[in-house]
Amino acid sequence: MSEKIYVGADIGGTAIKVGICNENGDLLHTFEGPTETEQGTDRILSNIAGYARHIVSESPYSWEQVAGLGVGIAGFIDIPKGFMKFSPNLPLTNVPLKDYLEAALNKKVRINNDANVAALGEAWGGAGRGVGSCVVYTLGTGVGGGIVVDGRLIEGFTGMGGELGHISIVPDLEAIQCGCGKMGCLETVSSATGIIRMAKDAVERGDRTSLTAIEKLTAKDVFDAAKSGDEAAQRIVSRAAFYLGKSLAAVSVIINPQRFILGGGVSAAGEFLFAQVREVFRKYAQDRAQEGVDIVAAELGNNAGVVGAAGLLLHA
Amino acid sequence: MSEKIYVGADIGGTAIKVGICNENGDLLHTFEGPTETEQGTDRILSNIAGYARHIVSESPYSWEQVAGLGVGIAGFIDIPKGFMKFSPNLPLTNVPLKDYLEAALNKKVRINNDANVAALGEAWGGAGRGVGSCVVYTLGTGVGGGIVVDGRLIEGFTGMGGELGHISIVPDLEAIQCGCGKMGCLETVSSATGIIRMAKDAVERGDRTSLTAIEKLTAKDVFDAAKSGDEAAQRIVSRAAFYLGKSLAAVSVIINPQRFILGGGVSAAGEFLFAQVREVFRKYAQDRAQEGVDIVAAELGNNAGVVGAAGLLLHA
């Protein structure tokens, strides 16, 4: 029992999920406890450390086997220092998170942002297992992403590496402004929010569509309608898939990864979406940049965060 | 005199240029000899090895100080093996270039393609000196490129990393087919070839422009006309700068490099072009991805190849 184990923590506004991985990225145990955000900074910090100790104590592993703790968290982070500059949903402004946790646990600690961490999780222990370079898209409320090249995350100079949702890809003539302030970001068309917006536009325009009858539209409603033959819904899905596929083609001549992994709620549309994305990718990506390249679904779901956090110890 | 030196070789169809760099990427000596392509494979190989020995013998350094030889060459290369699969302009099909040179010189040898090598040269010893992550565009007959992250080249799964000229960025409605077979590649508008094509189109369309009077149009003619106030020429330059700037914005949220370096013949247009590219970049790149990021001119010109080749010993 002297093998090393890697502990990951995925910090959310209401819950902290911790997990134990082996060196292959297999998730062996998980535990979830409340973040207790309302109790303030110190409680959050002691909860992270406490849950990490707890999950190891209730596992068959000893504390000596712990190689370290990796943490995935939303916010602006000085990654090398593990310093939280700001968190959108937690009272962690200017908090030396890495220093605190290293002192509390007496183990090596690595911090990174949640989107990068989830991408690393998929690349290491999920759909990218055994593949050296992967680009992961998370198609949810927004479009997030992460890039792993030769097993290492591309952080970027100001931490903006892999911000795939903000590739400005919709031409000006049909672009709208993104939440980030710029025009034509991928996120404006290929996120759940973008798909719902296009559906509402179609309804308001008076397009003949079954979506008119639905009160609180979701992206799933749009996919379901499209699969049932609703032409307005099909046009919306085509548009989401078109710009997503074009962005993959662009990434393929910049990074030239071996595998694209699509996750998040929108990717649940499955083969109906994937087939369209692959077709656009094949059309626009240079032939040599698509040789042997595949586009697959994410596998870890909500566990990608803890697995990737644990993986920070080996890959960052 | 025990410091290490790094020898680089830039293999062209008519000449082989070799150079000696120190560990800082300073180019200390260069030598150029004929490739003698017409003499066949063996002669080319022995010339590369011979010129490498020659430049060291005529320098103040000893052969013992040579850390190795790096080679930049156009073609399809199995980079880890240093195996030439095919060269567009030399009889080097299925040639184990690295193995041959390592045996001939008894030194470590690294091979990479000329575009990546030139980018590494600029990043290491040119305009990217001291900057960890750089993206280099070479705006010539085509648009080439190379990406250096944390001092290492992004090769890509099939060697297509940094093929920036083939980002499909021109919308379908106004796109033309690229030499690579795909539609709307950056190269179709932002290379010298693309600029000349747009100028010829303007002349043929009957646009009122001073370019009509020029017999054998060059990209420089178009820039000169634009600088003198020719509106048709200005529209062409704006278009070349627009898509180039948009591609930089895309790269900034994928790689998020600290510096963009623009080289090649088209970049000789200088500030007139750079100012427009910067404006487009500022408009489309997410704010945090442009913080502290600059767009500068390449510095090494034709020496980028030998410097980058020498740099392969330290960076690949």
Side-chain angles (χ1 to χ4, degrees):
Chain A
M1 287 283 286
S2 68
E3 80 180 284
K4 287 283 173 203
I5 57 166
Y6 305 85
V7 181
D10 182 7
I11 318 297
T14 54
I16 292 168
K17 187 171 192 173
V18 289
I20 295 177
C21 288
N22 63 16
E23 64 176 5
N24 301 319
D26 298 313
L27 183 60
L28 308 171
H29 295 273
T30 60
F31 169 81
E32 203 170 303
T35 311
E36 301 186 296
T37 302
E38 68 291 352
Q39 302 290 324
T41 308
D42 290 351
R43 180 66 72 86
I44 298 171
L45 295 175
S46 68
N47 280 344
I48 300 172
Y51 299 157
R53 283 197 182 275
H54 175 73
I55 191 174
V56 176
S57 73
E58 70 171 14
S59 81
Y61 303 98
S62 70
W63 188 249
E64 285 63 43
Q65 290 177 268
V66 176
L69 172 71
V71 176
I73 186 165
F76 293 170
I77 310 164
D78 180 329
I79 291 167
K81 292 185 183 148
F83 186 86
M84 286 297 302
K85 295 179 184 171
F86 171 74
S87 161
N89 54 355
L90 296 168
L92 293 176
T93 302
N94 294 326
V95 171
L97 186 55
K98 178 172 183 281
D99 290 349
Y100 170 87
L101 291 169
E102 287 190 336
L105 299 173
N106 200 24
K107 294 285 179 186
K108 186 166 84 169
V109 172
R110 293 285 176 274
I111 319 280
N112 210 309
N113 79 64
D114 55 350
N116 274 348
V117 162
L120 179 59
E122 282 293 342
W124 180 40
R129 204 179 263 265
V131 171
S133 61
C134 297
V135 171
V136 181
Y137 282 74
T138 305
L139 309 166
T141 311
V143 172
I147 298 173
V148 177
V149 173
D150 296 335
R152 290 172 59 93
L153 277 168
I154 302 275
E155 318 274 11
F157 174 54
T158 56
M160 298 293 283
E163 285 282 344
L164 306 170
H166 298 285
I167 301 175
S168 177
I169 198 149
V170 184
D172 283 357
L173 278 174
E174 38 174 301
I176 66 157
Q177 193 175 34
C178 180
C180 79
K182 301 298 176 176
M183 298 297 291
C185 292
L186 177 63
E187 184 165 296
T188 64
V189 286
S190 302
S191 64
T193 316
I195 289 166
I196 293 164
R197 175 189 59 78
M198 291 189 284
K200 286 183 177 163
D201 286 353
V203 169
E204 277 172 26
R205 252 196 329 261
D207 287 9
R208 207 166 73 176
T209 165
S210 61
L211 299 171
T212 308
I214 301 172
E215 198 150 333
K216 216 175 157 357
L217 271 171
T218 65
K220 185 171 184 303
D221 294 329
V222 181
F223 280 108
D224 287 345
K227 288 173 186 174
S228 309
D230 185 298
E231 286 179 19
Q234 285 172 347
R235 281 195 297 274
I236 292 165
V237 172
S238 291
R239 192 153 183 263
F242 178 76
Y243 289 112
L244 181 56
K246 276 203 89 169
S247 82
L248 265 66
V251 170
S252 75
V253 288
I254 297 171
I255 298 289
N256 184 19
Q258 184 174 353
R259 184 167 292 171
F260 289 95
I261 300 172
L262 311 185
V266 170
S267 72
E271 202 47 37
F272 183 73
L273 173 68
F274 278 67
Q276 296 188 50
V277 174
R278 288 193 192 102
E279 190 183 330
V280 176
F281 176 69
R282 274 197 297 270
K283 180 173 173 189
Y284 291 102
Q286 216 188 11
D287 290 338
R288 279 187 62 217
Q290 45 176 298
E291 259 173 40
V293 175
D294 48 21
I295 301 170
V296 304
E299 292 175 359
L300 298 181
N302 292 331
N303 285 331
V306 278
V307 174
L312 288 173
L313 279 320
L314 285 168
H315 299 91
Chain B
M1 289 283 287
S2 67
E3 79 179 287
K4 288 282 171 203
I5 57 166
Y6 304 85
V7 181
D10 183 5
I11 318 296
T14 55
I16 293 167
K17 190 172 190 171
V18 289
I20 294 176
C21 288
N22 62 17
E23 62 176 6
N24 301 319
D26 299 313
L27 184 60
L28 308 170
H29 295 274
T30 59
F31 169 81
E32 204 170 303
T35 311
E36 300 185 296
T37 301
E38 70 291 351
Q39 302 290 322
T41 308
D42 290 351
R43 179 66 72 84
I44 297 170
L45 295 174
S46 69
N47 279 343
I48 300 171
Y51 299 156
R53 286 197 180 273
H54 175 73
I55 192 175
V56 176
S57 74
E58 71 172 10
S59 81
Y61 303 97
S62 70
W63 187 248
E64 285 65 43
Q65 290 177 269
V66 176
L69 171 71
V71 176
I73 186 165
F76 294 170
I77 309 166
D78 180 329
I79 291 167
K81 293 188 183 147
F83 186 88
M84 286 299 301
K85 294 179 187 170
F86 171 75
S87 160
N89 55 357
L90 294 168
L92 293 176
T93 303
N94 295 325
V95 171
L97 186 55
K98 178 173 182 281
D99 290 349
Y100 171 87
L101 291 169
E102 287 189 335
L105 299 171
N106 200 23
K107 294 287 179 184
K108 185 166 83 169
V109 172
R110 293 287 176 271
I111 318 280
N112 210 309
N113 80 60
D114 54 349
N116 274 348
V117 162
L120 179 60
E122 282 294 341
W124 180 41
R129 204 177 262 265
V131 171
S133 62
C134 296
V135 172
V136 181
Y137 281 75
T138 305
L139 310 165
T141 310
V143 172
I147 299 173
V148 178
V149 173
D150 297 335
R152 290 171 59 93
L153 276 168
I154 302 273
E155 317 274 8
F157 174 55
T158 54
M160 298 293 282
E163 284 281 343
L164 307 169
H166 298 286
I167 301 174
S168 177
I169 199 149
V170 183
D172 283 358
L173 278 174
E174 38 174 302
I176 66 156
Q177 192 175 34
C178 178
C180 79
K182 301 297 175 177
M183 298 296 291
C185 292
L186 178 63
E187 184 166 296
T188 63
V189 284
S190 302
S191 65
T193 315
I195 290 167
I196 293 165
R197 175 188 58 78
M198 293 189 282
K200 285 182 178 164
D201 285 352
V203 168
E204 276 171 27
R205 251 195 331 263
D207 287 7
R208 207 166 74 178
T209 165
S210 59
L211 298 172
T212 309
I214 301 172
E215 198 150 333
K216 213 172 156 7
L217 271 171
T218 65
K220 184 172 185 303
D221 293 330
V222 180
F223 281 108
D224 287 345
K227 289 174 186 173
S228 310
D230 183 297
E231 287 179 17
Q234 284 171 348
R235 282 194 297 275
I236 293 165
V237 171
S238 292
R239 193 153 182 266
F242 178 76
Y243 288 111
L244 182 56
K246 277 204 90 169
S247 81
L248 266 65
V251 170
S252 75
V253 289
I254 298 171
I255 297 290
N256 186 18
Q258 183 173 353
R259 183 166 292 170
F260 288 95
I261 300 172
L262 311 185
V266 170
S267 73
E271 202 45 37
F272 182 74
L273 172 68
F274 278 66
Q276 296 187 51
V277 174
R278 287 193 193 100
E279 191 182 330
V280 176
F281 175 69
R282 274 196 299 269
K283 180 172 174 191
Y284 291 101
Q286 216 188 11
D287 290 340
R288 280 188 60 218
Q290 45 176 297
E291 262 173 36
V293 175
D294 49 20
I295 301 170
V296 305
E299 291 176 358
L300 297 180
N302 291 331
N303 285 332
V306 278
V307 172
L312 289 173
L313 280 320
L314 286 167
H315 300 89

